[in-house]
Amino acid sequence: MQATTIIKNSLIVTPTGVVNGDLAIKDGKIAAIGELSEAAAEVIDAQGQLVLPGMVDAHVHINEPGRSDWEDYHTGSQALAAGGTTSMVVMPLNALPARTTAAEFTRHRAIAEGKSYIDFALYGGLVPGNQADIGPMADAGAAGFKAFMATTGSDEPGDFHNVDDYDLYRGMQAIAKTGLRLSLHAENAILTDRLAADEIAHQHTDIQAYIDSRPPMVEVEAVRRALYLAKQTGCKLHFVHLSTGEAVREVHRAQTEGQDVTCETCVHYLTLNTDDFKQIGPLAKCSPVLRTPAVQADLWQEVQADHVNTVTSDHSPAPAEMKANPNNNIFEVWGGISGAQNNLDVFYDVAVKSGRLNLQQFVQLIAAGPAQLFGLKDKGQLRVGADADIAFLDPNQSYTLRPEDLYYKNPISAYVGRQINCRVTRTLLRGKTIFELGKGFDEQPTGQFLHNHHAMGVAK
Ligand SMILES: NC(=O)NC(NC(N)=O)C(=O)[O-]
Ligand SMILES: [Zn+2]
Ligand SMILES: [Zn+2]
């Protein structure tokens, strides 16, 4: 074997433990791990660095086509690459038109190919009235489907609409036939909208009013309802951005009763709480809303108990003016946190450095878990035969995040000003360095479209 690249002197985080040694890459794949003596065209000395599987961020909003001034494939994927992410699963909404037909799916895929610096899979959307588009989107290569039980917060022509219980039920019936999973934004739409209207009617438009309009029960209720409907229809479910331990326990209970259901939480629910929201302001507005320290501690317990399948960014970018709050009305501000560039470092800091998770749990949540969930073959694990998608993390560097560090289209983030006690220094995609701290990006984007290998009809 003549390797193309050898990474020397590293701490390699494999699925079964940490290997102190070398990693050889050939033809974009991991060829060997251990004490290696052979030569290679490229030798990377990783002394002092952790060699991790590149993150698989299973929840990213990219706004191209239609809203490229919010985030496009070029900027979004560069930010992710700089943060050590090598694959993303892209949500079907906030581009215009939203991805809710096979024709749009194919068009979006073609736009991303040639622009994305990292590999990508795409969701198809379930919206009112598009049950007939579900099968064709599965055939076009959808990673899964996404629906909103809450209202989405944007309503221009071509925008994505939430489902009511009827649309959800019919959609689940259609999705069950594809073998793919339905991912849900689970919050009760009627409760959230009317609780918000009550706050506004009382001239309560500060951050506390927004927190009060989305209590934990709106999430838990929606999770319970969706679980019941999924049981009736045999549809596989995935709950995105769960923000409460109580909701995770509902999912876990359904799993123990034999339902095929999984769940996600996000870096911000594990890092920021209601006090941080008040301090940071509108940049930290998202839905579900950030939780109290007590609810956050409960969520952490569920993560530590391995009841959560993946931790993502839910990167939901917007232009700076949509995150400003000129009328002092938090309800008017865009709901979404820009955070994808700081998935790996912020989460490593709060999870591993703080002693809450071990390295095996960490890589399971950021890489192996999401790759398995979305059938991303050969992704998410440092093992022989897998794609050489690798993030180098220096656990001994500290830095304070500045706007000029960010590669987003709009360099704003809830994490600006935060001290982060580790740093991603280099990212490899299928063996090729796509980002190096201080040097920048590879000249050409080489991200490829990823199929879900759990889909019916896709060769294993
Ligand atoms: N329209 C959105 O991008 N919404 C997102 N916004 C958040 N999370 O605040 C989401 O995932 O629900
Ligand atoms: Zn959502
Ligand atoms: Zn989202």
Side-chain angles (χ1 to χ4, degrees):
M1 177 196 78
Q2 167 71 46
T4 355
T5 302
I6 290 195
I7 302 169
K8 303 288 283 181
N9 308 316
S10 48
L11 289 172
I12 305 156
V13 185
T14 77
T16 47
V18 179
V19 176
N20 191 345
D22 315 320
L23 183 150
I25 300 167
K26 191 173 173 2
D27 300 328
K29 301 269 184 193
I30 298 171
I33 294 174
E35 291 281 323
L36 308 173
S37 53
E38 71 228 72
E42 181 189 36
V43 177
I44 303 173
D45 187 351
Q47 191 72 53
Q49 311 264 322
L50 275 174
V51 171
L52 300 167
M55 178 156 173
V56 176
D57 188 345
H59 191 156
V60 176
H61 296 264
I62 301 277
N63 309 81
E64 187 177 11
R67 286 194 179 107
S68 293
D69 53 326
W70 296 24
E71 194 80 278
D72 62 23
Y73 278 96
H74 180 88
T75 53
S77 68
Q78 282 201 338
L80 281 152
T85 298
T86 48
S87 299
M88 60 177 166
V89 187
V90 184
M91 285 294 168
L93 68 157
N94 304 337
L96 281 176
R99 202 157 53 247
T100 56
T101 64
E104 282 304 330
F105 190 98
T106 303
R107 193 166 80 89
H108 289 205
R109 172 180 170 173
I111 290 168
E113 277 169 338
K115 278 199 175 181
S116 182
Y117 278 78
I118 65 172
D119 287 353
F120 61 96
L122 301 177
Y123 268 107
L126 169 68
V127 292
N130 82 331
Q131 296 129 29
D133 297 296
I134 296 297
M137 280 191 280
D139 294 341
F145 294 95
K146 169 74 183 294
F148 263 63
M149 297 173 79
T151 43
T152 59
S154 49
D155 195 18
E156 285 182 49
D159 253 325
F160 197 91
H161 290 125
N162 59 304
V163 288
D164 64 14
D165 292 346
Y166 168 82
D167 304 314
L168 185 56
Y169 174 67
R170 286 290 188 212
M172 283 177 173
Q173 289 179 316
I175 292 167
K177 293 185 192 134
T178 67
L180 294 171
R181 211 170 271 282
L182 171 61
S183 294
L184 289 172
H185 176 131
E187 286 186 293
N188 182 310
I190 293 173
L191 281 173
T192 50
D193 288 358
R194 295 191 63 178
L195 291 174
D198 286 350
E199 295 295 337
I200 294 163
H202 290 99
Q203 273 96 49
H204 297 160
T205 58
D206 61 358
I207 284 173
Q208 187 60 49
Y210 181 69
I211 295 168
D212 292 342
S213 74
R214 302 185 98 96
M217 63 111 174
V218 303
E219 171 172 280
V220 178
E221 188 283 327
V223 166
R224 292 177 67 133
R225 180 159 35 101
L227 282 169
Y228 184 72
L229 292 175
K231 202 170 176 180
Q232 302 308 306
T233 52
C235 182
K236 292 187 211 170
L237 278 192
H238 175 63
F239 290 99
V240 299
H241 55 46
L242 290 185
S243 61
T244 62
E246 196 180 350
V248 177
R249 283 189 288 279
E250 291 294 335
V251 170
H252 189 63
R253 184 185 49 74
Q255 284 169 349
T256 55
E257 290 171 5
Q259 237 177 300
D260 191 343
V261 51
T262 53
C263 70
E264 156 195 299
T265 189
C266 305
V267 176
H268 43 271
Y269 296 116
L270 298 171
T271 311
L272 305 173
N273 59 35
T274 42
D275 299 334
D276 299 306
F277 186 9
K278 287 172 192 170
Q279 215 207 320
I280 296 166
L283 288 174
K285 180 186 171 183
C286 58
S287 67
V289 67
L290 296 173
R291 298 301 181 190
T292 60
V295 173
Q296 184 181 59
D298 187 34
L299 177 65
W300 258 116
Q301 287 209 350
E302 294 300 317
V303 173
Q304 288 172 298
D306 300 329
H307 293 167
V308 169
N309 299 78
T310 183
V311 171
T312 69
S313 67
D314 188 7
H315 178 65
S316 179
E321 52 282 13
M322 290 180 70
K323 293 299 275 178
N325 191 4
N327 305 324
N328 262 319
N329 181 346
I330 191 72
F331 291 97
E332 291 176 356
V333 172
W334 176 254
I337 289 182
S338 283
Q341 192 175 319
N342 297 97
N343 278 325
L344 218 148
D345 58 8
V346 168
F347 188 46
Y348 179 86
D349 198 5
V350 297
V352 183
K353 278 219 148 175
S354 73
R356 288 183 172 109
L357 298 181
N358 62 41
L359 272 171
Q360 253 54 58
Q361 290 176 301
F362 178 72
V363 295
Q364 177 67 27
L365 285 168
I366 61 152
Q372 162 66 20
L373 256 179
F374 291 95
L376 309 181
K377 198 164 164 273
D378 297 338
K379 299 296 190 188
Q381 291 187 337
L382 298 184
R383 59 163 168 80
V384 172
D387 284 359
D389 293 352
I390 295 172
F392 288 58
L393 186 79
D394 185 339
N396 298 314
Q397 268 194 54
S398 278
Y399 74 111
T400 300
L401 186 71
R402 305 164 306 169
E404 55 268 39
D405 297 322
L406 297 172
Y407 293 102
Y408 308 131
K409 183 65 71 80
N410 299 284
I412 51 175
S413 171
Y415 300 123
V416 164
R418 185 184 180 93
Q419 186 186 318
I420 303 170
N421 301 302
C422 59
R423 193 157 199 178
V424 173
T425 58
R426 188 172 186 143
T427 309
L428 272 63
L429 178 68
R430 282 176 273 102
K432 198 160 183 281
T433 295
I434 55 168
F435 172 78
E436 210 179 329
L437 188 63
K439 293 197 178 150
F441 299 92
D442 198 6
E443 287 135 48
Q444 291 298 323
T446 53
Q448 290 177 357
F449 177 75
L450 302 173
H451 282 274
N452 185 335
H453 284 257
H454 299 153
M456 290 167 186
V458 176
K460 295 278 176 236

